Amino acid sequence: MELDDIQAIILRDRPIPYYGTVVAIKVHHAAKGRELIAKLLPHVSSSQEFDDRMASNLTIVMTYEGLKQLGVPQDSLDSFPENFKQGMAARAKQLHDVGQNAPENWQKPFGTGQIHVCAAVIADSKANWQKKLQELKSMLDDYVNRDQPDQGAIEILLEHEFGVDEAVKNVFGFRDGIGNPNVAGSGVKKTNDTDLPIASGEFVMGYKGEAGVIPPMPQPEVLGKNGSFMVLRKYHSHVADFNKYCLEQTDSPEEADKLAAKIFGRWRSGASISMARDHDDKALGADEDRNNDFDYSDDDYGKGCPFGAHARRMNPRKTKDFILADVRLHRIIRRSVSYGDIVPPHITEDDGKDRGLFFIGINAHAMDTLEFLQGQWVNDGNFMNIGEERDPLIGVHNGDKNDEGDTFTEPADPIRKRHTGIFQFNTVQGGEYLFVPSLSALKWISELSTQA
């Protein structure tokens, strides 16, 4: 793989701890927008520059509307996948984004077509984050009209911070970002994943995929090759409601903690509940060589990790599927980041603060992959032979905390436990389908010569 041409976010893990900011930009003037891309390009890191984790990095991604606004020729625009052209909001039916998650309830500017470019800074310390962020802002300031935002060459529509400390806990208090696939040719071998590396073309365009052929990609080749696609979804997390639910469904804080682990598929430390079935194992959770080295081949009945648990749904790991599916074709590189503070498990009243997750998934067919995951593994229980049950964490739940809601089944001896009343613990507040250009593609876009 041409690692020096592939943006670092695709193949290199985020740092631990991490601090960052995402900026959503609207381009009003095409030529100035391309000029800005040229200025940002030297600050964008490649996958060649890191051994395994990013230290300080700038990522640049674009929507279909952004590519149009920057002057990408029509024949090139036509070569992009149809669902990318439509955008995430228009694919709400395929994504099961209904009810509370429907696009009409999203926070602006998500789903409006106004987001053209997203720039994200991420770093391994607050000092490096602020230094990199100020570099970005100083470049953006040359194109922004602070008094009349819509009169500038660009307009900043959104600026959002995120980050976690070295414990890498999400707002529910669970260690996050443990399992990502090995990518053939990436130069990184994840010691905690014993699966064979997945073909590079499943994640980076211009290479052979699992089928042994190079899939179609945007044209010309300089635009598509070494690029990928990203799905971004902003979730607001109702942690106090989740805590209250687990406590009400059990008889003690210890049992509530175990139910929470059953729902997630891991304990708060990050230890898999299949490997540590009775209680949390903090040493296992902290051991990066062991905490992802497992599968479900010895857990046929789900008495360790329930079939409906979030982690098992998202990566069935040799579960005996009831519907044939090649798991290797549906893996996604997760670069999700948390925002807001952690809510301890005993807190059951919402404090009204904004907290949650930016789900970031990367795949050469990211739109198709997300739509498959949302339609099958998240919102349909049939592939695990659990009927109408949905993912308890991110599935669509039509009920609320005042009615019966949905069900989560926990296989157990002597009889299974059925937890009713599952409602929305994470609400989608917006999202976008994004193109992750190679460094060569960013240069090609910046040098386009069209009328502004």
Side-chain angles (χ1 to χ4, degrees):
M1 298 180 75
E2 297 169 352
L3 299 178
D4 60 347
D5 197 37
I6 300 168
Q7 287 204 52
I9 194 171
I10 299 176
L11 297 177
R12 299 298 177 245
D13 287 339
R14 65 196 176 191
I16 298 176
Y18 64 81
Y19 306 90
T21 301
V22 61
V23 181
I25 298 165
K26 182 177 183 179
V27 177
H28 290 292
H29 191 284
K32 290 293 186 181
R34 295 193 298 270
E35 181 181 294
L36 173 61
I37 297 298
K39 288 189 176 183
L40 294 174
L41 180 54
H43 300 270
V44 178
S45 299
S46 76
S47 293
Q48 184 70 58
E49 298 177 45
F50 302 98
D51 292 331
D52 53 1
R53 294 188 184 277
M54 296 181 288
S56 179
N57 177 54
L58 173 66
T59 297
I60 303 295
V61 295
M62 302 169 182
T63 63
Y64 177 72
E65 294 300 322
L67 292 167
K68 285 171 60 177
Q69 186 65 15
L70 287 166
V72 171
Q74 188 62 48
D75 57 347
S76 293
L77 293 172
D78 291 342
S79 66
F80 278 85
E82 193 61 33
N83 45 11
F84 173 71
K85 296 177 191 176
Q86 294 177 25
M88 187 177 288
R91 304 292 291 182
K93 181 178 179 180
Q94 291 81 0
L95 291 166
H96 292 251
D97 284 341
V98 298
Q100 298 175 60
N101 290 350
E104 55 264 31
N105 297 322
W106 288 3
Q107 292 180 344
K108 301 297 185 286
F110 292 115
T112 64
Q114 296 185 64
I115 295 177
H116 294 155
V117 177
C118 287
V121 167
I122 191 167
D124 57 357
S125 70
K126 290 183 178 180
N128 286 339
W129 162 46
Q130 286 300 311
K131 179 181 178 182
K132 197 81 172 178
L133 181 60
Q134 291 310 311
E135 289 177 358
L136 172 62
K137 286 185 173 181
S138 66
M139 289 183 281
L140 297 179
D141 281 345
D142 293 337
Y143 300 87
V144 171
N145 186 327
R146 297 294 180 185
D147 297 324
Q148 295 179 289
D150 60 348
Q151 298 301 308
I154 68 165
E155 181 180 353
I156 296 177
L157 303 178
L158 176 146
E159 186 175 326
H160 204 298
E161 296 180 0
F162 55 83
V164 298
D165 61 20
E166 60 277 357
V168 204
K169 298 289 184 73
N170 60 28
V171 294
F172 290 89
F174 285 76
R175 182 168 179 144
D176 194 26
I178 294 174
N180 267 314
N182 278 311
V183 181
S186 67
V188 175
K189 176 64 174 75
K190 299 180 183 300
T191 58
N192 65 0
D193 190 336
T194 57
D195 285 342
L196 291 173
I198 296 175
S200 53
E202 297 299 323
F203 304 102
V204 184
M205 291 185 286
Y207 301 90
K208 291 181 179 179
E210 285 288 304
V213 297
I214 300 175
M217 62 183 173
Q219 296 297 312
E221 184 174 297
V222 67
L223 176 61
K225 187 174 183 182
N226 293 322
S228 191
F229 288 99
M230 173 188 290
V231 292
L232 171 71
R233 287 165 75 79
K234 184 190 178 191
Y235 286 93
H236 175 74
S237 298
H238 309 281
V239 188
D241 288 340
F242 176 78
N243 292 342
K244 185 177 182 180
Y245 178 82
C246 291
L247 286 166
E248 288 179 344
Q249 290 284 313
T250 55
D251 296 324
S252 69
E254 292 75 22
E255 288 185 12
D257 194 50
K258 188 171 183 177
L259 174 58
K262 291 279 187 176
I263 289 173
F264 269 87
R266 289 184 183 271
W267 295 94
R268 294 180 193 275
S269 72
S272 168
I273 198 160
S274 281
M275 301 171 75
R277 295 192 177 189
D278 297 322
H279 53 78
D280 199 352
D281 185 338
K282 294 182 179 179
L284 173 61
D287 189 337
E288 294 193 9
D289 289 333
R290 298 172 55 224
N291 61 15
N292 200 47
D293 186 7
F294 70 95
D295 58 41
Y296 302 119
S297 58
D298 61 348
D299 191 11
D300 289 344
Y301 300 101
K303 292 180 181 179
C305 183
F307 297 121
H310 174 67
R312 191 161 186 169
R313 282 176 173 268
M314 293 295 94
N315 187 3
R317 298 176 189 255
K318 298 183 181 179
T319 292
K320 293 181 179 178
D321 269 0
F322 294 93
I323 291 180
L324 182 63
D326 188 340
V327 174
R328 294 171 65 83
L329 297 181
H330 303 297
R331 295 296 303 277
I332 198 162
I333 295 172
R334 295 182 301 121
R335 297 288 183 248
S336 303
V337 292
S338 295
Y339 64 91
D341 53 0
I342 296 172
V343 180
H346 67 277
I347 300 296
T348 58
E349 293 294 329
D350 184 19
D351 59 9
K353 293 182 179 179
D354 192 25
R355 60 173 58 85
L357 175 82
F358 282 105
F359 172 79
I360 300 170
I362 298 173
N363 184 288
H365 329 280
M367 294 75 62
D368 292 336
T369 301
L370 181 68
E371 291 174 12
F372 171 85
L373 294 176
Q374 285 288 121
Q376 298 296 319
W377 291 0
V378 172
N379 288 301
D380 187 348
N382 283 326
F383 88 106
M384 285 285 194
N385 200 27
I386 50 176
E388 296 182 356
E389 289 191 19
R390 303 177 179 91
D391 187 305
L393 288 178
I394 62 171
V396 175
H397 300 289
N398 298 320
D400 59 33
K401 51 191 160 184
N402 297 315
D403 66 24
E404 291 185 359
D406 292 317
T407 300
F408 173 71
T409 300
E410 179 187 342
D413 290 323
I415 58 173
R416 65 186 179 182
K417 300 177 183 177
R418 294 180 66 87
H419 301 281
T420 59
I422 293 282
F423 55 94
Q424 209 77 29
F425 297 131
N426 287 283
T427 303
V428 178
Q429 293 188 327
E432 298 288 343
Y433 284 157
L434 299 159
F435 174 52
V436 189
S438 67
L439 274 65
S440 295
L442 287 171
K443 184 174 186 294
W444 182 82
I445 292 169
S446 73
E447 294 175 350
L448 287 170
S449 179
T450 60
Q451 288 191 348

